[in-house]
Structures are given as structure tokens and as C-alpha cells.
Amino acid sequence: MGAQEVREGFVRLYGAEPEGVWAAPGRVNLIGEHTDYNDGFVMPFALPHIAVAAVARRTDGVLRLHSADLDSGVAELRLDELTPESDNAWTAYPAGVVWALREAGHAVTGADIHLSSTVPSGAGLSSSAAIEVVVALALNDLYDLGLQGWQLARLCQRAENVYVGAPTGIMDQTASACCEAGHALFLDTRDLSQKQIPLDLAAEGLRLLVVDTQVTHAHSGGEYGKRRAGCEKGAALLGVDALRDIAYADLDAALARLGDEEEVRRLVRHVVTEDQRVEQVVALLESGGDTRAVGPVLTAGHASLRDDFRVSCAELDLVVDTVLAHGALGARMTGGGFGGSAIVLAEAADVATLTKAVEEAFAAAGHKAPRVFEAVPAAGARRLG
């Protein structure tokens, strides 16, 4: 749904013109999974799939929310009654942003919001972050708050952590707010320093496919929280602020110090080696060499997520195993895991063959048909009109 359609939907709902229309994208993470809440490195890029919001201010302390994608009416909330973890519906994401802005001292007095999104929900492509960021950007503009992209991302992360109750890191919101077209974002999640890394796969005859397994995942589920708690335990046992502080060269010694804490050992090994893989990919892309060398790094990341972090699933493993058997350069699950999507680095000429192979493998296994599409680095959050 485009800006004009969302604007017209707003008028039908609320009987007046919105003050503007904004967009924020979903993201795919090239490499760097479960490193963001360990103060590590990530490398996402924005997708063309976006959440679009038409918004107008209110002065009566009321927040009205509507999604064109759901068969439900307008939700009406009072700002002074917004309470963390009180809402299990989709409205928790935009309401949480308003709550976080007000908690930070910003004088938001209400809003009418009409949303529509093309970011697949539950696919590990940050549909929730897109909603949060588009609402935050709109309110930042309308209320003249003067916040920069990284500051909006921080507030959106707080909304998801505290208001929604999902213990996510900072990557998704920063990617949605700060990515640039034609680039991947190399982000240090400790100090939020950013570097835009050019990523033009088509120029090298390559494609990056996203395979949505149609297995829905949810960050607020208990398994994600267990992994994060295990990482924090590992950092405490090793006497560091975060696992980011364990150098790759010191990994074996650190693992030995963990003794019989086998579960923690696996988590630590994944995070430290994954940070190293992010730095490998950055070096490969910045060197101007053959981007095809990124493929094996992606595949190594999947093995680590599958075997050490244990957040893959049968469908994700089937995608990776199938495409590698049919000539893909590399593949891995992307996102938090327990479902969602995998990414596949491939020669452009092999896309049709790989897509067919995955579809046939899913059919043979009795799985729901996957959704396959090409991912091209797109623009971050912006005003549309």
C-alpha cells in the first residue's frame, strides 16, 4: 500500500487529512546474529518492504491506532493509562513508542495513526521494528523533537524491551532508522558507531535471496530470553561487561575457564565467532575483492546458530542444506531464529534453479510452501509526503 492509499485510508477513518505520511523498512541481517545484545557487531541492510503511517497530532491525551492489514477497528488508548506489558496485541508496538517518548520527557499529547505494512510478519525481517520506527519518526517530525535516527532507534528499543516485553537488541530499530540504499550498515552496538558499506551484488552477477519459511517466530517467546540470559551469565563468569569483550584470539582460553557450563560455553563460542565473521565480511566487501568469498562465512554462521546457539529449526536447515546442494555460494538463517527466514547468496543465473529446489524440498517434506524473493539494499526511514 502506497503513501496515497494510506493517506486516503486515514481520511476515511478519521474524517480529516493527516499531517503527513512516513515510511520505515524491514531489514535483513547479512551477518551478525544474537550479537547486538552482547555489545557486538552486526551488518543489516534495509529491505524495500516498508511500514507506512499517516499521522496527525492530537491535544487531548488520546492515541487512536488502526492497521489496514488487520480486520479490526480503531483502537483508542489514553496516554496517561499506557502501562508496560499491558497489551498483547499489535497496538503494543506503536503505543510503546508513544510511552517511551513521554517517559523520556517529550511532550507528545496524542495522535491519530493509520498504518499499513508490506514487511512479512513473523518472518524474522523486523516487521515490529518497522512499525516502531515509522511511528517514532512521524512523532519526531510533528512534535519537532529534534531526535536523530540513532536516538529514535534507542527509544524504539526501549519500547520493545520494556513496554512490549521482548528482550531484543538495538540492531533492528537502528537498521530501519539509519540504513541507506545500496549499502549494508556495519554497526557497533556498544557505541552505536555506524559505517555504510557499499553492497551492489547485481554488479557482480550475484543475488541475495530471502526464503521466508512461513514458520512464525516471536521475540517475546521464552527461548530468546533464555539465550540472552545465558550470554549474560557467560559474561559474568568470565568477568567482562559483555561477550564482545572476549577477543577471538582468546576464545579457547575463555571456554576452558567455563568448565562444565556446557550450555554457556556454546553461547559464548557462537557470539565471539559471530563477531569475527562480521569483521570478515566487512573486510571482504571493503577490499573490493570477490564478494563470492562472503558465501562460506554465511554458511559457517548458520552452523554456529544451529549447533551452538540452537535457534534454527527443521525448515531453516532444509533451506540451507538444499541450496548448498544445488550450487548456492552460501546460506544461513537470519533473524532471531525458531522460524522466520534464511538468506542465500547465489549467482544470478542460479536463482530459478535454487528457488525451484527449495519449493520442491518443502513440498516433499510436507511443509507449507516458502516465500522466496530477492533482497536489494533499500533506503531507511523517511517522510513520504
Side-chain angles (χ1 to χ4, degrees):
M1 186 174 283
Q4 186 58 32
E5 292 170 280
V6 175
R7 178 182 291 275
E8 291 169 357
F10 183 99
V11 174
R12 287 194 299 272
L13 279 169
Y14 301 122
E17 288 283 339
E19 293 182 83
V21 181
W22 291 261
R27 66 96 189 97
V28 66
N29 192 23
L30 185 62
I31 193 73
E33 220 65 78
H34 290 276
T35 50
D36 58 347
Y37 54 80
N38 289 292
D39 281 3
F41 304 122
V42 295
M43 199 175 184
F45 62 83
L47 290 168
H49 305 72
I50 54 175
V52 180
V55 185
R57 288 168 290 182
R58 297 179 66 96
T59 59
D60 58 357
V62 170
L63 175 64
R64 293 198 292 182
L65 301 167
H66 183 266
S67 170
D69 309 316
L70 300 173
D71 187 19
S72 60
V74 175
E76 185 168 312
L77 307 170
R78 290 210 54 84
L79 301 190
D80 55 9
E81 295 175 357
L82 297 180
T83 306
E85 298 192 56
S86 62
D87 186 351
N88 294 320
W90 74 272
T91 50
Y93 297 99
V97 169
V98 175
W99 172 85
L101 285 167
R102 286 166 56 85
E103 282 286 300
H106 301 293
V108 176
T109 56
D112 286 338
I113 300 174
H114 176 54
L115 285 153
S116 181
S117 178
T118 59
V119 185
S121 178
L125 303 175
S126 299
S127 58
S128 59
I131 290 173
E132 292 160 356
V133 170
V134 75
V135 169
L137 180 62
L139 296 176
N140 182 56
D141 287 355
L142 291 177
Y143 283 97
D144 196 22
L145 304 181
L147 299 172
Q148 298 180 47
W150 68 268
Q151 294 171 305
L152 294 177
R154 275 284 194 217
L155 286 164
C156 290
Q157 182 199 16
R158 177 165 168 76
E160 189 146 351
N161 289 172
V162 180
Y163 194 89
V164 178
T168 56
I170 190 66
M171 173 180 67
D172 297 350
Q173 293 85 359
T174 305
S176 185
C178 300
C179 278
E180 295 180 4
H183 294 75
L185 178 69
F186 176 38
L187 173 67
D188 181 334
T189 65
R190 169 163 281 171
D191 61 13
L192 297 188
S193 59
Q194 303 176 18
K195 189 172 186 180
Q196 302 287 343
I197 308 293
L199 185 64
D200 186 358
L201 298 174
E204 298 185 56
L206 300 175
R207 299 290 186 271
L208 190 77
L209 302 178
V210 175
V211 182
D212 177 3
T213 65
Q214 306 276 9
V215 178
T216 303
H217 81 156
H219 271 162
S220 52
E223 290 300 317
Y224 185 97
K226 287 179 185 176
R227 302 305 188 281
R228 181 164 185 165
C231 290
E232 291 168 353
K233 180 179 179 180
L237 289 171
L238 293 169
V240 294
D241 290 336
L243 294 182
R244 147 72 173 279
D245 297 311
I246 305 298
Y248 180 71
D250 299 332
L251 177 58
D252 288 344
L255 295 177
R257 288 168 54 200
L258 292 171
D260 60 0
E261 292 278 357
E262 184 55 33
E263 180 66 24
V264 174
R265 283 165 56 87
R266 285 196 299 266
L267 299 177
V268 171
R269 182 164 52 224
H270 167 72
V271 172
V272 176
T273 58
E274 186 79 347
D275 274 334
Q276 173 74 0
R277 283 186 285 273
V278 177
E279 293 186 293
Q280 279 183 269
V281 171
V282 171
L284 286 168
L285 293 178
E286 287 194 318
S287 71
D290 192 348
T291 303
R292 289 163 178 80
V294 169
V297 186
L298 302 184
T299 303
H302 183 77
S304 183
L305 288 160
R306 180 192 63 211
D307 300 336
D308 276 343
F309 226 71
R310 299 187 179 186
V311 292
S312 190
C313 66
E315 292 85 353
L316 288 167
D317 292 341
L318 181 60
V319 173
V320 173
D321 293 344
T322 300
V323 298
L324 292 177
H326 285 80
L329 299 168
R332 74 171 189 91
M333 58 154 281
T334 187
F338 312 108
S341 299
I343 56 173
V344 181
L345 183 65
E347 301 287 352
D350 294 338
V351 167
T353 298
L354 294 171
T355 300
K356 182 181 179 183
V358 169
E359 291 171 345
E360 290 179 347
F362 268 55
H367 299 320
K368 185 177 180 180
R371 177 177 180 231
V372 184
F373 60 91
E374 183 182 345
V376 178
R382 67 270 187 197
R383 185 167 185 159
L384 298 180

